[in-house]
Amino acid sequence: MKKVGTQTIETERLILRRFTVEDAGDMYRNWASDPEVTKYLTWPPHESVEFTKSLLADWVKEYEKGEVFHWAITWKDSGEVIGDISVVRLDEEVEAAEIGYCMARRLWGQGIMPESLTAVENYLFDEADLNRVGACHDPENAKSGRVMQKAGMQYEGTRRKAIKSNQGITDVAMYAILKTDRK
């Protein structure tokens, strides 16, 4: 594994880049304060933009280590921050990463997250030299599983009552793609 950290990734419609503290307003407004966005996640909606600013200040410090993979998803045309995609677990021994993501509810269903996830997979395989990229979701949130499928991940199974989210203790459906799976 190469410790390349979070570098800018460009797709057809998006720029994935490092967060800045100045992104707090977009983050808070677009997804972090929305209980529908956080419904199946492991963290509660943010109660204030001040909390979001504080969190982003911590994230920005982490970039300096070069070991963090955490992108702000932004519209290429406007620069508006519309989502978040990151490595939430990294296992260097087996060269594997688990991805987490969320974005503004008003943009769901437009192919933005599969576009982002595919770009991050490619970056992690090609630049960080990982072997496996996975993600998981609450089976009640089937749309998240569809994102994983569109990004080329294969369903690997469901662990029963294996995660605690804002819905309580729930099952978790697991997906992954290997470097050798890519076409």
Side-chain angles (χ1 to χ4, degrees):
M1 181 190 140
K2 298 177 189 168
K3 296 192 178 187
V4 293
T6 307
Q7 302 300 323
T8 301
I9 304 170
E10 192 170 329
T11 71
E12 184 180 331
R13 301 179 290 173
L14 309 168
I15 294 178
L16 281 61
R17 60 159 175 81
R18 291 179 175 194
F19 276 97
T20 67
V21 175
E22 291 74 26
D23 296 326
D26 281 352
M27 180 176 170
Y28 180 78
R29 180 180 55 260
N30 284 332
W31 75 90
S33 64
D34 186 338
E36 275 302 305
V37 172
T38 62
K39 182 176 182 178
Y40 298 104
L41 301 181
T42 58
W43 50 270
H46 294 187
E47 294 189 15
S48 70
V49 72
E50 289 74 26
F51 176 83
T52 305
K53 282 180 187 173
S54 175
L55 179 66
L56 287 177
D58 291 342
W59 289 358
V60 168
K61 287 178 195 168
E62 292 294 314
Y63 287 131
E64 294 173 21
K65 297 178 184 176
E67 299 174 357
V68 171
F69 300 98
H70 200 159
W71 291 269
I73 303 168
T74 66
W75 279 122
K76 195 181 276 187
D77 332 358
S78 69
E80 178 186 14
V81 182
I82 58 171
D84 172 354
I85 187 166
S86 64
V87 171
V88 296
R89 277 188 205 81
L90 184 63
D91 186 335
E92 292 183 49
E93 187 175 352
V94 294
E95 300 171 335
E98 183 180 323
I99 306 296
Y101 50 78
C102 53
M103 65 179 256
R105 180 171 24 139
R106 66 182 162 83
L107 300 170
W108 290 354
Q110 297 181 29
I112 295 164
M113 198 52 75
E115 184 177 330
S116 299
L117 181 54
T118 300
V120 167
E121 288 171 357
N122 290 335
Y123 178 84
L124 293 173
F125 289 137
D126 299 338
E127 304 303 324
D129 202 26
L130 293 182
N131 179 54
R132 172 189 168 89
V133 177
C136 61
H137 70 92
D138 182 323
E140 295 295 318
N141 186 11
K143 289 180 182 178
S144 190
R146 188 70 190 119
V147 166
M148 296 168 199
Q149 292 168 358
K150 287 179 181 179
M153 291 186 178
Q154 297 176 28
Y155 173 71
E156 294 186 323
T158 298
R159 293 175 57 211
R160 298 177 306 147
K161 304 297 182 199
I163 193 168
K164 185 169 183 179
S165 73
N166 292 324
Q167 297 300 298
I169 298 172
T170 68
D171 295 352
V172 61
M174 302 176 317
Y175 288 77
I177 183 170
L178 304 178
K179 190 179 226 179
T180 56
D181 292 336
R182 298 187 310 162
K183 296 174 184 164

